[in-house]
Amino acid sequence: MTVTIYIPRDSGALALGAEKVAKAVETEISERGLDAKIVRNGSRGLYWLEPMVEVETPAGRVAYGPVKAKDVASLFEAGLGLTTHSAHPLFLGDPEKIPFLAKQTRLTFARCGITDPLSLDDYRAHGGLKGLENAVAMAPADIVKQVTESGLRGRGGAGFPTGIKWKTVLDQTDDRKYIVCNADEGDSATFADRMIMEGDPFVLIEGMAIAGVATGATKGYIYIRLEYPHAVATMNAAIGIARQAGVLGVNVLGSPNAFDMEVRVGAGAYVCGEETSLLNSLEGKRGVVRAKPPLPAIQGLFGKPTVINNVISLASVPIIMDKGAEHYKDFGMGRSRGTIPIQIAGNVKHGGLFEAAFGLSLGEIIDDIGGGTATGRPVKAAQVGGPLGAYFPRALFDTPFDYEAFAAKDGLIGHAGITVFDESADMLKQARFAMEFCAVESCGKCTPCRIGSVRGIETLDKVAQGVERDKNLALVADLCNTMKFGSLCALGGFTPYPVMSAINHFPEDFGPHPMKEAAE
């Protein structure tokens, strides 16, 4: 009996030494003459246990982690490569029973870390392509209706209802329409898009194909950030496999529907995560924000109607089309339906991806799931929603993970990345960093973002120096107000969230300092 050993090729696992572990395992298999094979899977998202090596046994999978190359010989002594296993310090048992994983509701990430990312047979064996099979047998309007009724909203940050966007494109009568997947995942503490592309690429392909069938689009583009070479390689390979198998092409799964897709790689600009900048970049233009209207759904890529969705939005569609709108809608709270892949990072004990229905409190996520800080010091703040998200103090940790609940507290969920800070964090420095980030990444098209961020840095530096503190803090607030309401896109418009939340919730970090006269 051939024993299957799973070793992740996910970027997070590779950064922690997974390639060295894989080579060491290969060597041991060869030298011991074992009947075993290695499958390079995606990560399950428990990054403090990566590289996590799993072995298929008659009783199910068992896991070891975190494994280093030097541990491999002792793992084989304990039974790695065999069907029986003895005790080992890195033995984790059934990975599904690890509390971090056992508490999750995995819908979008159901296959991540389980299947071979580039095996279409494996994908089908674990429920893949059922959604697309259902979709090609339905009228486009009925597909759109099902997605609308599921309550799925954009998982890229804005939370706009996916079905409404699709219906707008469906209603257009142009001869050409496009599906664009925004995989320019650039927010701090976010890695869900990358995990899907590297660990379960066919679910994204299936979701985009369903979107194409639903709206009448025949061509799709995945816009992937430059810093994701492993995701680019995996997606390109998966598209080739899907095309050869008839999942993509002139007859999707043997139906009259045509849909094909390809990968495009960004050039490293954060602002190209904004949909109109992304479209300019796709067209070979400078990545700057377009004024709206016209909306991309009416006049988008090459002037044609275009659906622009985030990776997680599109990857959530197959299960909606497989299990039905009500099944998906049954999870969540309020207007936030379904599940959300929460990415926990920063100064935290158990960093990783946790997929759950909307509704967990921020405190539950950080304290119970994340295990508190890695340093063991008290948690001071959590930034939710990337570099443009607000800093929440402990007093707001009862806020449920829900779009409207966060908006009511002057925050945003964004791409659901959480960065944890302990009591040593200086929130004045964090506020300055937000302004600096905006200044560096601004496309330069609008004055409030381009100039406001630079003036924000200068003014916060004066606060740090103790120069006319109250006057300069008032000036920062005025700058933020101008940026919030005058910027063309979310980069300038949302930078006030981290800045003002830091000032409002952590005033002790902004002074008072001995007053100095401003330099002449």
Side-chain angles (χ1 to χ4, degrees):
M1 175 184 171
T2 303
V3 175
T4 304
I5 302 171
Y6 295 87
I7 305 171
R9 194 183 269 139
D10 171 272
S11 293
L14 290 176
L16 293 164
E19 202 60 42
K20 291 179 180 177
V21 171
K23 288 177 181 175
V25 170
E26 277 181 24
T27 301
E28 290 290 337
I29 291 171
S30 176
E31 290 181 353
R32 293 170 185 264
L34 297 172
D35 184 12
K37 68 173 182 177
I38 297 172
V39 171
R40 302 304 299 275
N41 58 330
S43 172
R44 289 185 185 258
L46 288 68
Y47 283 109
W48 77 98
L49 295 176
E50 291 287 10
M52 189 164 78
V53 176
E54 298 182 36
V55 186
E56 194 73 60
T57 75
R61 289 196 192 183
V62 295
Y64 299 85
V67 177
K68 292 183 170 60
K70 65 181 181 182
D71 301 318
V72 170
S74 65
L75 288 176
F76 275 87
E77 293 297 333
L80 193 76
L82 303 173
T83 57
T84 57
H85 295 256
S86 57
H88 188 281
L90 299 179
F91 184 72
L92 299 170
D94 181 354
E96 303 279 352
K97 293 182 180 177
I98 298 171
F100 188 91
L101 202 53
K103 294 176 184 176
Q104 296 190 42
T105 303
R106 289 217 157 180
L107 300 182
T108 307
F109 284 77
R111 283 171 292 266
C112 261
I114 296 175
T115 58
D116 177 347
L118 293 177
S119 169
L120 195 56
D121 289 338
D122 220 0
Y123 182 66
R124 282 184 184 271
H126 287 81
L129 295 184
K130 288 183 180 177
L132 182 56
E133 288 168 356
N134 290 338
V136 295
M138 296 168 64
D142 291 335
I143 302 172
V144 172
K145 183 181 177 185
Q146 187 156 313
V147 171
T148 303
E149 290 179 350
S150 74
L152 178 66
R153 294 167 69 176
R155 298 290 189 254
F160 189 82
T162 303
I164 292 176
K165 190 177 286 189
W166 286 21
K167 186 177 188 307
T168 305
V169 175
L170 172 62
D171 289 344
Q172 306 310 305
T173 57
D174 297 57
D175 60 342
R176 187 82 162 159
K177 300 176 185 179
Y178 296 98
I179 307 296
V180 172
C181 174
N182 184 348
D184 193 51
E185 184 176 54
D187 284 352
S188 47
T190 56
F191 42 87
D193 294 357
R194 179 188 58 73
M195 275 184 62
I196 282 288
M197 291 188 287
E198 294 179 2
D200 193 15
F202 293 118
V203 78
L204 177 55
I205 292 170
E206 183 178 1
M208 289 185 70
I210 292 170
V213 173
T215 60
T218 55
K219 181 73 174 185
Y221 292 93
I222 308 176
Y223 186 93
I224 305 179
R225 67 179 303 201
L226 176 71
E227 296 87 347
Y228 280 179
H230 299 291
V232 170
T234 304
M235 285 309 311
N236 275 322
I239 289 169
I241 293 165
R243 193 177 288 135
Q244 192 170 13
V247 176
L248 298 173
V250 292
N251 300 108
V252 173
L253 290 184
S255 73
N257 302 285
F259 187 78
D260 206 351
M261 59 194 287
E262 58 188 85
V263 169
R264 285 287 181 267
V265 181
Y270 178 81
V271 77
C272 285
E274 191 278 332
E275 61 182 19
T276 63
S277 295
L278 187 156
L279 291 177
N280 274 338
S281 180
L282 265 179
E283 293 177 2
K285 301 171 184 173
R286 184 180 170 204
V288 295
V289 176
R290 298 178 183 176
K292 292 185 281 189
L295 296 171
I298 296 169
Q299 193 175 320
L301 187 64
F302 305 120
K304 299 295 183 181
T306 305
V307 167
I308 307 177
N309 284 142
N310 163 263
V311 171
I312 303 303
S313 307
L314 290 162
S316 299
V317 169
I319 195 163
I320 293 169
M321 297 308 300
D322 176 18
K323 303 289 186 182
E326 288 303 317
H327 174 82
Y328 191 79
K329 193 175 182 178
D330 193 45
F331 300 94
M333 65 176 287
R335 290 178 51 220
S336 302
R337 310 314 306 176
T339 59
I340 181 82
I342 302 164
Q343 299 128 92
I344 310 168
N347 187 342
V348 68
K349 190 175 181 182
H350 295 151
L353 181 133
F354 192 95
E355 184 179 359
F358 286 94
L360 287 171
S361 74
L362 185 57
E364 285 178 285
I365 295 166
I366 294 171
D367 298 327
D368 301 342
I369 297 163
T373 65
T375 55
R377 293 173 176 159
V379 175
K380 179 173 183 175
Q383 186 178 30
V384 183
L388 308 180
Y391 290 100
F392 274 36
R394 171 67 71 179
L396 293 180
F397 278 17
D398 60 346
T399 307
F401 220 73
D402 163 75
Y403 290 107
E404 280 67 43
F406 265 72
K409 301 288 177 66
D410 292 324
L412 53 99
I413 283 178
H415 194 36
I418 299 176
T419 306
V420 180
F421 298 84
D422 74 9
E423 61 184 1
S424 65
D426 183 333
M427 303 313 292
L428 171 54
K429 289 182 179 178
Q430 293 304 126
R432 186 192 189 280
F433 170 76
M435 283 293 190
E436 183 181 25
F437 181 85
C438 183
V440 170
E441 296 292 348
S442 175
C443 76
K445 183 158 186 177
C446 67
T447 304
C449 174
R450 183 182 70 250
I451 303 299
S453 55
V454 175
R455 295 294 169 261
I457 296 169
E458 295 169 353
T459 310
L460 285 169
D461 281 344
K462 291 178 182 176
V463 173
Q465 294 159 13
V467 176
E468 297 182 316
R469 173 183 172 273
D470 292 341
K471 179 181 175 181
N472 281 309
L473 283 176
L475 181 56
V476 170
D478 189 45
L479 274 170
C480 283
N481 192 57
T482 302
M483 292 173 70
K484 183 175 182 178
F485 295 105
S487 298
L488 273 175
C489 84
L491 178 57
F494 283 2
T495 293
Y497 280 88
V499 175
M500 293 310 300
S501 63
I503 292 171
N504 292 333
H505 297 311
F506 307 94
E508 65 277 8
D509 286 8
F510 291 80
H513 298 290
M515 298 299 289
K516 300 176 185 176
E517 288 298 319
E520 289 295 328

